[in-house]
Structure formats: C-alpha cells, structure tokens
Amino acid sequence: MIEADYRVFSAVQEGIELPPIFVIPSDREGLVYNDDWDNIGQRRTASGSFTFSNVYVAADEVLGPPPDPDGAFATFLGIVAQLTKTYVYLGIAEGALEAAKHYTTTQTRPWITSGVDSATKDPYILHHYGEFWIELQAAISLADQTAEKVTVAWEKKESLTHQERGEVAVSVSAAKALATKAGLNIANRIFEVTGTRSTATRYGLDRYWRDLRTFTLHDPVDYKLRDIGNWLLNHELPTITQYS
C-alpha cells in the first residue's frame, strides 16, 4: 500500500550525464507499484519496484537543473535528506523506548530473586533504562547541533563553498552514525527490560528493531565512520554522493 500522494523518480538517458528528476502523483495512469517488498520492516515505504507504461510527465513536473550545477549548493539537498533520515531513526528509537517504558511500568514482573516488589525498582532494569536514555539524549543533541549547521549552510545558497559543504557533510555523517548505533542498541535491548512475555506478537515491540535495522542498511554506517576518520586524520572531505 502506498501512502504518499506523490512519488519522486529519476530517469537515466543515454548521452545525458545528470538524470532528470520528476515528481508525479502516485495514481498517475500507467504507473504501477508492484508491491514486491517482502523484507523485514518498513512495510509501507513502497521500497519495491515500479512499472512504467506510457506514463505522462508534464514539463512543470520535471525539476530543472540548479543555477550552478558545479557549485557546492547544487548537491546540498542530499545532505538535507541524510539529516532527515537521522531524525527518522531517532523517532523510531524514541518510540521504542517509550513503548518499553509503558510495558515495564504496567506489565513487567520483578525477577524472583530481585528482592523488590516492582520491576521499576529492579536495579538492573533501572541501569539499562539509564543507559538507553543517555544514549538517546546524546544522539538527539548531536543531531540538533548538526541541524543548526545545516541551516546556516542552506541559507548561504550559491555562495556555499565546497569546503563548507564537506564539513557539514562530516557533521551529518556523525549524527547519522550515532543515531544508527543508539537506535539499534535501544530497539534490540528493550526486551531485556520488558521480559519474555513482551515478545508476544500482539505487542509488536519487535517492529522498532525491524524497521530501523532495514532502514539503516540502505546506507552502511561503516562508510560514514570511514569518511569521518579520513577527514580527521587526512583532512580529506567526503566524496560527494547522494549519501554524503
């Protein structure tokens, strides 16, 4: 099922270096989503394939080339997209932590040798929640700091330099890497503070890990860390791609 009203596509044309990008309604005649995404997580992201059959694209639905295609700002939208995904990761992590907290406070039973009458008084459960909260707050703080840098760079428009763009790309990579690590850790370990019964399908607590695990694989965090290390030690900016 596709929830979006519009879809963004690019088309490769022989002899043309930059593929044109166009935005069309999801219900455009001739456009068919094949509903062939059968992976874990991301059930409604329409990550599967599409079939085109004489699909009409109007001139005003095609996004034109930037004023300065060789300038740093021409590729800055990719950095914005990366930061957007970072906040999606953080949202999933926040959702996982909130769902676990609700379950722990309402249903989790204290362990038989814990010596306490409530799971919320168990020292190990408290310890784990303390770690989860610290990790999430650190990731959110870094993302917010990075968002401020992205905003400053965006406002420079065509005057943005390649050096400035590259340094912002490093910051976004760092924020996304931390959000990935913190989110996956929280989404995976919430079962340690909720207990066996929380794995029942009706609670759906696994959906946070499934969604985040699949989403983060679209952009390997190892390459983020490599780019950051290369910038730190060798003063080399990340290669410009849609992910950096």
Side-chain angles (χ1 to χ4, degrees), residues 31-160:
L31 177 64
V32 178
Y33 175 55
N34 297 317
D35 198 17
D36 51 0
W37 177 264
D38 192 27
N39 301 54
I40 62 172
Q42 295 187 258
R43 305 318 306 165
R44 293 188 175 184
T45 60
S47 294
S49 64
F50 285 81
T51 298
F52 295 81
S53 179
N54 296 320
V55 177
Y56 173 76
V57 179
D60 61 359
E61 293 173 329
V62 179
L63 303 183
D68 181 11
D70 296 322
F73 190 69
T75 59
F76 198 73
L77 188 59
I79 291 179
V80 175
Q82 290 296 291
L83 183 62
T84 300
K85 292 180 175 63
T86 298
Y87 277 102
V88 173
Y89 296 176
L90 292 173
I92 294 174
E94 284 185 305
L97 185 57
E98 187 60 31
K101 174 186 173 183
H102 176 74
Y103 188 96
T104 297
T105 57
T106 60
Q107 303 210 47
T108 301
R109 299 170 182 172
W111 186 242
I112 56 176
T113 60
S114 65
V116 297
D117 59 2
S118 169
T120 59
K121 297 178 182 179
D122 186 298
Y124 298 109
I125 289 179
L126 295 176
H127 177 86
H128 289 320
Y129 271 108
E131 287 186 327
F132 297 161
W133 190 84
I134 290 173
E135 291 177 8
L136 183 57
Q137 295 309 306
I140 292 173
S141 179
L142 183 58
D144 288 348
Q145 292 177 34
T146 301
E148 293 178 2
K149 295 180 181 179
V150 169
T151 299
V152 171
W154 177 267
E155 291 175 346
K156 291 186 177 182
K157 304 296 182 181
E158 276 70 31
S159 66
L160 182 71

Side-chain angles (χ1 to χ4, degrees), residues 174-231:
K176 195 175 184 187
L178 184 58
T180 297
K181 288 181 173 292
L184 287 175
N185 182 57
I186 293 170
N188 177 47
R189 292 180 55 206
I190 57 174
F191 297 100
E192 298 174 17
V193 295
T194 52
T196 305
R197 292 183 304 150
S198 71
T199 63
T201 303
R202 66 179 180 275
Y203 299 119
L205 293 183
D206 62 311
R207 70 186 185 276
Y208 300 103
W209 180 85
R210 287 188 290 107
D211 285 346
L212 192 55
R213 178 65 285 178
T214 299
F215 204 162
T216 55
L217 291 176
H218 286 73
D219 180 19
V221 72
D222 285 336
Y223 283 89
K224 298 294 187 191
L225 298 175
R226 182 204 63 178
D227 285 347
I228 295 169
N230 194 32
W231 168 77

